[in-house]
Amino acid sequence: MLVKAYAAALQGISATIITIEVNCTKGIQFFLVGLPDVAVRESHERIISALQVCGLTFPRNRIVINMAPADIRKEGSAYDLPLAIAILAAAEQVDSDRLSRYMMMGELSLDGSLQPIKGALPIAIKAREAGFEGLILPKQNAYEAAVVNNLKVYGVAELKEVIEFIDGKRELEPTVVDTRKEFYAKQQNYDCDFSDVKGQENVKRAFEVAAAGGHNIILIGPPGSGKSMMAKRLPSILPPFTLQESLETTKIHSVAGKIQGGVSLMTQRPFRAPHHTISNVAMVGGGGVNPIPGEISLAHNGVLFLDELPEFNRGVLEVMRQPLEDRKIQISRARFTVEYPAGFMLVASMNPCPCGYYNHPERTCLCTPGMVQKYMSRISGPLLDRIDIQIEIVPVPFEKISDLQPSESSEQIRERVIKARLIQEKRFAHENGVYCNAQMSSRLLREFAIPDAAGLNLLKNAMRRLNLSARAYDRILKVARTIADLENSSSIEAHHLAEAILYRSLDRENWGQ
């Protein structure tokens, strides 16, 4: 008997329908075709054991299984469940009438229980698009997939439940999630707050400007000055997720297997902090036949924090140059190209020199000028040019640390950031793919970031004195536009540009001399 069951394969952050065709005839051979990898071929042994535990026997017939389309590589163990059900249906051990109404995914344990899979959310989206009535998958993934409306999502714990459901002997309760209620209830739950930070008012101001305009920022300062502490608090002052941003970010993390059980949608912007020993592939994504998202994609709509920036491999840093400009990354294979979104805010920190105390107000730097220059040269000029805000940070004096007065909270800062972002949303309402000042092109700069006469003269002198590049010129205008937005000013004035120029610490003539 020939039957068909339906599953899905992940490609990028989308899914493709896989039709599992099983033909059961007289004989004793078993064939599995359609470009299955080792994990898919090994399903044979897992299915045999799971069926025995359920009181069923693996058919002693000639079984031919085709996974179509046959030119797409099938990877992983998530096909165990649809393969098992299709084999039983072809052998007429279960009813095949309901198979066409449901998509199924799940890894089988030897005892018949189901293990969680990756990519439940994009699979659920594809199931709805294809018109399936429901999706059957492990219980651990049900909450994640149930955010897709107009689709019945059944979370099951073991193979026996699915067999009885397909046979009509058991009713399964679909998982229901009030997406909007869940989303808005958990949006403001942050563990870190800027009220914990004592002093460092100029650095907090730089973070506020960065958050308001979506600008990349680098912190330069000695050990123990609070660089990592403040970077971890940046997500708490960023504008809350929109539902669309949350869905897009959740899809990426779902494909990478980063969504924990019981979580439907991500409600807080991601904060990724990879170690400096990270490889190129782990940073940009890839690996295997079907690439998976890297750190720059996992940080999409959030923050990518690179601590001790000069310690990263030069190649790892250079591969970020294109995603920083284009806000996406393409991973090419012989047969196809996968595109992952990579619209992240880059936050980097570094010591000013190998010993860490160059320009320290109290401690003496032990490095020679040549050593400082060599240390700084580990970061290329083109990469630094793509970082809008470069701010020096010095240790907090004892008087500030011991001050019991509470600092300004993240909520207060976030209110100003949201107001500035609303101004930018209106400004770029008719610009496709532009949502904040950091994304402005040269054309938009000429339209929305024109300084007044005094500001233009100030900027001209700064360009000559600091020998700034054309890209740095654009960065200064973008940051000045954001500072003006924070003040609700329609024009860019001289003091806005003066503050923006101050955020180019590494461009100073005497740096490292």
Side-chain angles (χ1 to χ4, degrees), residues 13-210:
I13 57 172
S14 301
T16 301
I17 294 176
I18 300 297
T19 303
I20 297 175
E21 305 169 318
V22 182
N23 190 16
C24 190
T25 57
K26 291 182 179 181
I28 55 172
Q29 292 177 297
F30 179 87
F31 300 97
L32 178 57
V33 297
L35 280 184
D37 74 348
V38 175
V40 178
R41 291 196 296 269
E42 287 175 346
S43 65
H44 179 253
E45 310 305 325
R46 292 191 293 271
I47 292 170
I48 290 175
S49 177
L51 291 179
Q52 288 175 346
V53 173
C54 294
L56 299 168
T57 57
F58 193 87
R60 292 172 179 165
N61 301 92
R62 184 178 188 271
I63 298 173
V64 179
I65 303 173
N66 179 44
M67 304 179 76
D71 60 343
I72 296 177
R73 184 77 173 173
K74 320 303 185 303
E75 286 189 332
S77 53
Y79 299 101
D80 290 359
L81 178 60
L83 284 170
I85 297 297
I87 288 170
L88 290 175
E92 300 184 14
Q93 295 188 41
V94 299
D95 190 5
S96 61
D97 294 342
R98 304 176 74 183
L99 286 184
S100 61
R101 294 158 54 186
Y102 300 97
M103 182 182 285
M104 290 178 280
M105 294 294 285
E107 176 189 337
L108 284 174
S109 293
L110 296 183
D111 62 357
S113 60
L114 289 171
Q115 299 300 317
I117 62 171
K118 294 180 180 179
L121 180 55
I123 289 171
I125 293 171
K126 188 64 180 180
R128 182 185 63 183
E129 288 176 357
F132 285 98
E133 179 183 325
L135 171 64
I136 303 171
L137 75 176
K139 185 171 287 186
Q140 299 95 317
N141 298 112
Y143 214 59
E144 174 190 342
V147 301
V148 179
N149 55 13
N150 301 323
L151 179 73
K152 294 178 181 178
V153 176
Y154 300 102
V156 293
E158 55 185 22
L159 176 62
K160 191 173 183 180
E161 294 178 45
V162 183
I163 293 171
E164 291 175 353
F165 175 71
I166 295 296
D167 259 345
K169 299 176 182 178
R170 175 198 286 258
E171 285 298 321
L172 295 175
E173 282 295 321
T175 304
V176 179
V177 174
D178 188 335
T179 306
R180 293 186 180 274
K181 183 180 177 181
E182 291 276 333
F183 177 68
Y184 291 113
K186 299 177 182 178
Q187 261 195 338
Q188 308 302 335
N189 299 334
Y190 291 99
D191 297 328
C192 301
D193 196 283
F194 267 100
S195 60
D196 304 327
V197 181
K198 301 296 183 182
Q200 305 291 14
E201 299 304 324
N202 64 323
V203 185
K204 283 194 273 189
R205 168 66 176 175
F207 270 109
E208 180 180 339
V209 173

Side-chain angles (χ1 to χ4, degrees), residues 249-323:
T249 308
T250 305
K251 282 174 68 176
I252 297 169
H253 285 248
S254 176
V255 169
K258 304 292 184 182
I259 300 293
Q260 298 177 350
V263 174
S264 54
L265 279 176
M266 293 180 64
T267 57
Q268 296 180 6
R269 295 186 180 275
F271 180 86
R272 305 294 300 181
H275 193 260
H276 61 77
T277 56
I278 188 171
S279 67
N280 294 20
V281 173
M283 182 65 83
V284 302
V289 178
N290 291 327
I292 61 171
E295 289 292 335
I296 61 173
S297 294
L298 293 173
H300 181 61
N301 290 325
V303 177
L304 178 67
F305 177 48
L306 303 183
D307 198 10
E308 302 299 340
L309 188 66
E311 302 301 327
F312 281 78
N313 182 284
R314 180 78 175 243
V316 171
L317 298 180
E318 293 308 301
V319 296
M320 291 197 303
R321 284 162 54 176
Q322 181 254 336

Side-chain angles (χ1 to χ4, degrees), residues 222-431:
S225 54
K227 302 187 293 293
S228 301
M229 179 187 185
M230 281 187 279
K232 289 175 182 176
R233 282 156 176 76
L234 178 58
S236 69
I237 65 171
L238 289 172
F241 260 150
T242 64
L243 202 55
Q244 182 60 37
E245 285 177 331
S246 177
L247 184 64
E248 186 179 32
T249 308
T250 305
K251 282 174 68 176
I252 297 169
H253 285 248
S254 176
V255 169
K258 304 292 184 182
I259 300 293
Q260 298 177 350
V263 174
S264 54
L265 279 176
M266 293 180 64
T267 57
Q268 296 180 6
R269 295 186 180 275
F271 180 86
R272 305 294 300 181
H275 193 260
H276 61 77
T277 56
I278 188 171
S279 67
N280 294 20
V281 173
M283 182 65 83
V284 302
V289 178
N290 291 327
I292 61 171
E295 289 292 335
I296 61 173
S297 294
L298 293 173
H300 181 61
N301 290 325
V303 177
L304 178 67
F305 177 48
L306 303 183
D307 198 10
E308 302 299 340
L309 188 66
E311 302 301 327
F312 281 78
N313 182 284
R314 180 78 175 243
V316 171
L317 298 180
E318 293 308 301
V319 296
M320 291 197 303
R321 284 162 54 176
Q322 181 254 336
L324 282 170
E325 290 288 334
D326 300 339
R327 301 177 65 81
K328 61 185 179 182
I329 183 73
Q330 286 188 336
I331 301 170
S332 298
R333 293 290 182 266
R335 291 177 177 271
F336 61 90
T337 298
V338 173
E339 183 175 287
Y340 289 118
F344 59 91
M345 269 185 68
L346 174 63
V347 180
S349 72
M350 59 176 289
N351 293 331
C353 65
C355 78
Y357 297 105
Y358 178 75
N359 274 355
H360 194 282
E362 297 174 359
R363 299 189 61 168
T364 304
C365 175
L366 303 177
C367 305
T368 64
M371 291 173 66
V372 178
Q373 289 276 352
K374 186 177 180 181
Y375 188 73
M376 288 300 303
S377 67
R378 295 184 186 179
I379 309 166
S380 69
L383 180 61
L384 282 177
D385 267 352
R386 286 170 169 80
I387 300 177
D388 302 350
I389 298 175
Q390 305 164 356
I391 185 78
E392 275 191 270
I393 177 171
V394 295
V396 182
F398 176 78
E399 293 76 15
K400 291 283 187 180
I401 296 175
S402 58
D403 187 3
L404 298 179
Q405 288 290 334
S407 301
E408 191 175 30
S409 69
S410 291
E411 185 178 357
Q412 293 170 300
I413 301 172
R414 186 168 60 245
E415 287 177 4
R416 297 195 294 270
V417 169
I418 292 172
K419 288 178 182 177
R421 284 289 183 106
L422 289 174
I423 293 171
Q424 293 165 51
E425 282 182 21
K426 292 178 182 177
R427 178 182 298 138
F428 305 125
H430 303 294
E431 301 292 336

